[in-house]
Amino acid sequence: MSAGTPTGKKIVATTSLAGCFGCHMSFLDIDERLLDLIELVEFNKSPLDDIKTFTKDCDIGLIEGGCCNDENVHVLMEFRRRCKTLVALGECAIMGGLPAMRNTISLQECLDEAYRLGPTVADSNPGRIIPCDPDIPRILNRVYPCHEVVQIDYFLPGCPPNADLIWDALTSLLAGKELALEYRTFKYD
Amino acid sequence: MTSPEIIETIIARYQGDETRLMDILIDLQDELGHLSSETVVQIAAALKIPQVNVEQTVSFYHFFAREPRGVYTVYLNNSVVAYFRGAAEVAAAFEEAAQCRFGEVSADGVVGLFQTACIGMSDQEPSALINGHVFPRLTPQRARELVEGMRAGWTILELKGTGFGDGNNAHPLVRALVRNHIRVPGLTVFGEYHPGEAIAKVTQMSSGEVIATIKAASVRGRGGAGFPTGMKWEFARRATGEMKYIFCNADEGEPGTFKDRVILTERPQMVFEGMVIAAYAVGARQGILYVRNEYRYLHDYLESVLEDMRRRNLLGASIGGVPGFHFDVSIQFGAGAYVCGEESALIESAEGKRGEPRDRPPFPVEKGYLQQPTVVNNVETLCSVVQVMLKGTDWYNRMGTEQSKGTKVLSISGDCDRPGIYEVEWGFSVRDMLAMAGARDVQAVQVGGPSGACIAPGEFDRVLAYEDLATGGSLIIIGRHRDLLRDVVLNFTRFFREESCGACVPCRALTGMAQRILERIIDGKGRAEDVEHLKSWLGIMRYNRCGLGQTALHPITSTIKNFPHLYEERLDQSDPRFAPTFDLAAALEDYAAATGAGTE
């Protein structure tokens, strides 16, 4: 696999699967360091530059969110194929997070509540139709953390991981240094 | 009587004492069939304790039923050896005849089918408990006949038919189909013995002399840990407390172990006499024999033995004519929980609570039952004590090895011609034991039950002794034709997951995770790093509070060590970047069922 630019910049891709974009927002919280970052890396597929499909192989893939539908799975597998190193960014990517709260409830029950029996359904969905169309993703039986689908190389904890942590992790990874993950960085109470 | 009246009567039977909650619940379940939410509320009100205190005890033990479990409740053993002997076929026959699945009650409410862990009958599997009575050596045909009998309303005795077992299994107060299978009677437990002689001798000595004798004989605990018995007694004697207690631990729940059942059937006087000697040495006034619920069929018989000993002044006031030496024994039954074999959990259970091991220190010898100094000894240890006092330390020390004196009663089961009880001197090699039991073409031997070690033929020259293969006394022989991981290791791993009390996080969480990983290795979807994880968890498990948690991964780690090829040959070799266990089509099945979408 070849990656990197002619100028030696590492190439980074990011995505948000079954997440809330909170981890990406936290990423943006590195603020003016973004300017330093783009000196170090080039972004490929990512919501940051709105590149929708990979145009080249990448060095680092940052994954926010777990997999709740088949599109998430395909995107995650594509990331695995195109990125040398995959980082699960935040609680949902690592453990499934908030979306995984539905894992104790059957999918049928979830769909019934959302589209057929819930108190707001009468007006919004008079036909009591459960959406199903080739254009929309199909929902999985449960929410899967990323490592149950592909190999994940690093896990960055937090909901979201704070900006400093993301910055430290990314720069360590780029410099090939080990990151000292201190207890306070993932202790929230 | 209405159920509130029954509850009142039974609680009065135990003087409204909340520490007798186990007895109260056991009796009530006998009367009412199950313990409903209303019953729980009424018990709490009558005992004047919070409802949750009753709730937590009821929910802890698997023989306590919240819902009706049938007029006849079948608990079929699901242990490794039961499956070796055809438990799966017997289970299928039960389901077909009863027209319900395991975990359910038949539509007419007559037959309830449930599974249970090893019931101490590994030498006569497959076996089941039906309304508390043992039905060993089952066949599919016998299972169908039993269900027919239940439908016809037969009594338990009618269901048993004739053919009671040997020895005291045929005693009028036992009438069990169980067989002793004492293949090799040894000199200690099954040696020459006349009840009362040891008490007569001991009461001529001082308590210090008794402890000195037990120390000189190097008697060590037979439950598995091998703690020096004399030292334990000494600690308890020195401890201060208003009351001191002697417990006999007869909760043997380690799958594959059944020696205590045979000892309690054939040598109960010896066990009780051992408790009297311990009481004399320690200065205890009360003893409790804690017996697993699976052996409740011995209840009336054991009570009659106690009664007889009281009549002969071997129990009760001024025992052996010694003024002031008062000691009596009562029997406490468990209700289905392996962890209660751990001494502090056993004490908690005897106090009417969940059988959760305590933090130590303090140890039971300082603060045990009701926070008083308590000695907990294994059934076999107490038998050894009696013989040492009768025949002397020299006699005892002539048997065994340097660090392991005397004899050991072994429960041998699995793939061999002569499963049963073997009392041998410590120091026998595994190879000798296999020859005695008539085992051929052996793949592995599980020594000391699931918490012990699974050893390969290369180690069969190792000897049974505290200094080499320490064992609480069971050997399960596993033939060449078995799938060791699927038939044995997975069964043991499930057992520990089921029996974890849940107090310590590593035990509660890792037993479940280990089971899932093992299942995927068996399915050919495990990875080399899975095996590494399992190995590394052993260190974390050491932080668990009790022996169950500390050893719960032994079935896995000991086979990884001794049979690495069984893991390696099953590992997945596909592209390591993608998880072999994830199946997109399977993950889409629920959505397809709800919407008619495809799973391609």
Side-chain angles (χ1 to χ4, degrees):
Chain A
M1 188 192 295
S2 67
T5 66
T7 55
K9 279 187 179 178
K10 300 280 186 184
I11 306 175
V12 176
T14 77
T15 188
S16 179
L17 306 175
C20 67
F21 268 95
C23 296
H24 274 77
M25 300 309 283
S26 189
F27 187 13
L28 294 180
D29 276 343
I30 65 173
D31 300 329
E32 75 282 1
R33 284 171 290 184
L34 267 173
L35 299 174
D36 299 329
L37 187 62
I38 53 170
E39 294 299 318
L40 296 171
V41 306
E42 171 190 316
F43 281 94
N44 198 263
K45 176 177 163 62
S46 170
L48 298 177
D49 55 15
D50 221 18
I51 296 178
K52 306 285 192 204
T53 52
F54 282 101
T55 58
K56 54 176 87 165
D57 286 340
C58 300
D59 295 288
I60 299 169
L62 301 178
I63 313 288
E64 170 185 348
C67 293
C68 76
N69 62 39
D70 63 337
E71 190 207 12
N72 295 155
V73 172
H74 293 310
V75 171
L76 181 57
M77 288 183 160
E78 186 63 5
F79 263 74
R80 183 67 276 182
R81 280 184 208 102
R82 304 297 298 250
C83 302
K84 276 187 192 164
T85 301
L86 273 195
V87 181
L89 187 64
E91 174 63 19
C92 299
I94 296 172
M95 300 272 214
L98 202 71
M101 284 183 74
R102 80 158 160 101
N103 286 0
T104 56
I105 302 163
S106 74
L107 180 63
Q108 181 71 56
E109 219 178 314
C110 291
L111 293 171
D112 283 346
E113 180 67 18
Y115 296 109
R116 301 176 60 218
L117 308 173
T120 61
V121 166
D123 302 331
S124 58
N125 186 13
R128 304 292 191 271
I129 295 162
I130 295 175
C132 175
D133 187 278
D135 285 341
I136 57 171
R138 293 171 294 179
I139 300 176
L140 305 183
N141 57 344
R142 65 179 174 89
V143 176
Y144 292 79
C146 293
H147 72 270
E148 286 192 19
V149 179
V150 301
Q151 183 199 315
I152 297 292
D153 303 301
Y154 296 100
F155 299 85
L156 213 51
C159 183
N162 73 41
D164 292 343
L165 180 63
I166 296 173
W167 171 256
D168 290 347
L170 212 46
T171 49
S172 300
L173 207 49
L174 290 169
K177 287 191 308 193
E178 198 171 326
L179 171 67
L181 200 54
E182 289 176 46
Y183 182 55
R184 62 175 170 80
T185 58
F186 53 92
K187 177 179 176 293
Y188 288 92
D189 55 349
Chain B
M1 275 198 290
T2 64
S3 43
E5 285 167 351
I6 293 171
I7 293 170
E8 208 171 294
T9 310
I10 287 173
I11 286 179
R13 186 182 295 165
Y14 300 102
Q15 294 83 42
D17 181 354
E18 64 179 281
T19 68
R20 305 297 300 277
L21 186 58
M22 289 292 283
D23 299 301
I24 292 168
L25 294 172
I26 289 168
D27 287 5
L28 269 173
Q29 179 156 297
D30 279 351
E31 288 290 326
L32 304 172
H34 71 288
L35 302 164
S36 69
S37 299
E38 297 82 74
T39 304
V40 167
V41 171
Q42 287 160 356
I43 295 169
L47 291 174
K48 300 186 180 64
I49 58 175
Q51 192 182 323
V52 68
N53 288 14
V54 182
E55 200 80 59
Q56 63 180 351
T57 298
V58 172
S59 62
F60 189 82
Y61 301 90
H62 75 255
F63 287 125
F64 288 143
R66 299 304 304 267
E67 306 288 334
R69 290 188 185 170
V71 180
Y72 300 88
T73 313
V74 178
Y75 286 100
L76 183 65
N77 180 4
N78 64 10
S79 75
V80 162
V81 179
Y83 282 111
F84 280 10
R85 298 286 162 182
E89 292 74 21
V90 169
F94 267 122
E95 287 187 336
E96 198 194 325
Q99 290 292 300
C100 68
R101 308 298 303 263
F102 270 84
E104 297 172 357
V105 178
S106 62
D108 55 11
V110 174
V111 188
L113 298 180
F114 299 90
Q115 298 211 331
T116 193
C118 182
I119 63 171
M121 301 289 157
S122 295
D123 55 336
Q124 42 208 307
E125 292 293 342
S127 60
L129 293 168
I130 302 178
N131 290 5
H133 293 264
V134 182
F135 288 75
R137 304 179 301 280
L138 295 173
T139 59
Q141 175 61 22
R142 179 83 169 116
R144 285 188 284 270
E145 288 167 10
L146 285 170
V147 172
E148 258 176 55
M150 295 176 205
R151 288 255 151 78
W154 288 10
T155 63
I156 289 295
L157 206 55
E158 285 169 333
L159 287 176
K160 281 185 189 172
T162 51
F164 299 131
D166 53 333
N168 287 329
N169 289 301
H171 188 285
L173 292 174
V174 182
R175 291 196 291 193
L177 302 172
V178 179
R179 292 180 190 159
N180 286 331
H181 291 148
I182 302 174
R183 311 286 181 181
V184 175
L187 292 174
T188 310
V189 175
F190 296 107
E192 190 190 1
Y193 165 68
H194 304 286
E197 281 183 2
I199 290 176
K201 191 167 172 188
V202 163
T203 48
Q204 303 300 313
M205 303 163 72
S206 73
S207 59
E209 285 167 347
V210 175
I211 290 178
T213 306
I214 297 303
K215 279 184 167 176
S218 310
V219 177
R220 293 172 69 171
R222 293 297 198 266
F227 192 82
T229 305
M231 203 186 288
K232 193 184 265 191
W233 288 8
E234 177 110 70
F235 289 148
R237 186 166 74 121
R238 287 193 191 150
T240 49
E242 291 160 30
M243 276 288 275
K244 292 180 184 179
Y245 296 92
I246 305 297
F247 270 62
C248 173
N249 182 349
D251 193 53
E252 63 172 354
E254 190 84 36
T257 312
F258 46 88
K259 67 180 178 73
D260 292 349
R261 182 246 302 164
V262 178
I263 298 173
L264 288 175
T265 305
E266 296 305 326
R267 285 284 190 262
Q269 295 90 348
M270 197 189 239
V271 177
F272 295 135
E273 191 162 358
M275 292 177 78
V276 172
I277 295 168
Y280 186 80
V282 168
R285 297 281 298 267
Q286 203 184 324
I288 293 182
L289 171 71
Y290 187 103
V291 189
R292 65 190 311 218
N293 198 279
E294 289 82 345
Y295 299 163
R296 255 186 102 207
Y297 69 96
L298 294 172
H299 173 262
D300 293 352
Y301 166 68
L302 292 173
E303 287 288 3
S304 79
V305 170
L306 288 173
E307 201 46 53
D308 180 61
M309 289 178 72
R310 287 181 197 117
R311 266 197 304 274
R312 298 171 55 191
N313 192 222
L314 299 175
L315 278 176
S318 306
I319 294 172
V322 178
F325 180 32
H326 311 311
F327 179 73
D328 209 334
V329 173
S330 60
I331 301 174
Q332 173 69 61
F333 282 96
Y338 164 71
V339 71
C340 289
E342 194 282 335
E343 61 177 10
S344 66
L346 179 144
I347 289 169
E348 286 283 299
S349 176
E351 291 178 358
K353 295 182 276 192
R354 293 164 61 83
E356 275 182 21
R358 293 177 179 171
D359 266 330
R360 282 149 293 168
F363 289 91
V365 285
E366 294 156 12
K367 287 186 190 307
Y369 182 62
L370 306 176
Q371 298 301 310
Q372 301 298 315
T374 303
V375 166
V376 184
N377 283 145
N378 178 268
V379 170
E380 194 186 341
T381 312
L382 291 164
C383 291
S384 305
V385 160
V386 171
Q387 294 287 32
V388 165
M389 296 315 297
L390 273 177
K391 296 176 184 164
T393 54
D394 290 344
W395 172 83
Y396 191 73
N397 284 341
R398 276 200 294 274
M399 300 183 287
T401 69
E402 185 62 33
Q403 291 172 45
S404 314
K405 301 300 183 190
T407 61
K408 180 78 193 98
V409 181
L410 297 170
S411 316
I412 298 187
S413 64
D415 294 316
C416 62
D417 295 337
R418 293 178 294 278
I421 293 293
Y422 294 75
E423 184 181 12
V424 297
E425 289 184 27
W426 284 110
F428 255 85
S429 74
V430 173
R431 195 178 303 284
D432 293 339
M433 293 309 309
L434 293 177
M436 264 198 271
R440 290 172 305 276
D441 216 11
V442 179
Q443 174 180 190
V445 177
Q446 187 74 33
V447 182
S451 67
C454 187
I455 63 170
E459 294 187 275
F460 287 176
D461 286 321
R462 292 180 66 182
V463 297
L464 302 170
Y466 293 113
E467 54 266 49
D468 189 2
L469 279 172
T471 171
S474 92
L475 295 183
I476 299 174
I477 300 164
I478 301 152
R480 183 75 55 194
H481 59 297
R482 306 288 176 191
D483 180 341
L484 189 61
L485 298 196
R486 192 188 295 274
D487 298 345
V488 180
V489 180
L490 181 59
N491 180 297
F492 288 161
T493 303
R494 284 186 180 142
F495 168 77
F496 281 122
R497 180 190 191 176
E498 197 64 36
E499 297 295 335
S500 168
C501 81
C504 307
V505 174
C507 178
R508 183 176 68 230
L510 294 186
T511 51
M513 287 168 69
Q515 181 189 324
R516 278 169 62 179
I517 290 180
L518 183 62
E519 281 168 347
R520 72 176 183 243
I521 290 172
I522 289 171
D523 287 345
K525 292 177 175 172
R527 289 275 170 75
E529 68 254 30
D530 287 328
V531 176
E532 291 309 311
H533 283 148
L534 291 168
K535 279 156 72 176
S536 71
W537 291 350
L538 198 57
I540 306 172
M541 293 295 270
R542 292 208 182 94
Y543 292 98
N544 287 312
R545 200 184 282 176
C546 80
L548 187 160
Q550 287 155 6
T551 61
L553 295 186
H554 279 191
I556 294 175
T557 53
S558 117
T559 44
I560 290 176
K561 177 164 168 272
N562 296 329
F563 302 87
H565 60 284
L566 294 182
Y567 289 84
E568 283 154 17
E569 68 198 17
R570 284 176 128 123
L571 295 180
D572 177 83
Q573 305 295 344
S574 63
D575 186 342
R577 292 176 302 162
F578 300 94
T581 43
F582 184 75
D583 180 347
L584 182 59
L588 284 169
E589 271 169 16
D590 291 353
Y591 183 71
T595 64
T599 59
E600 294 296 301

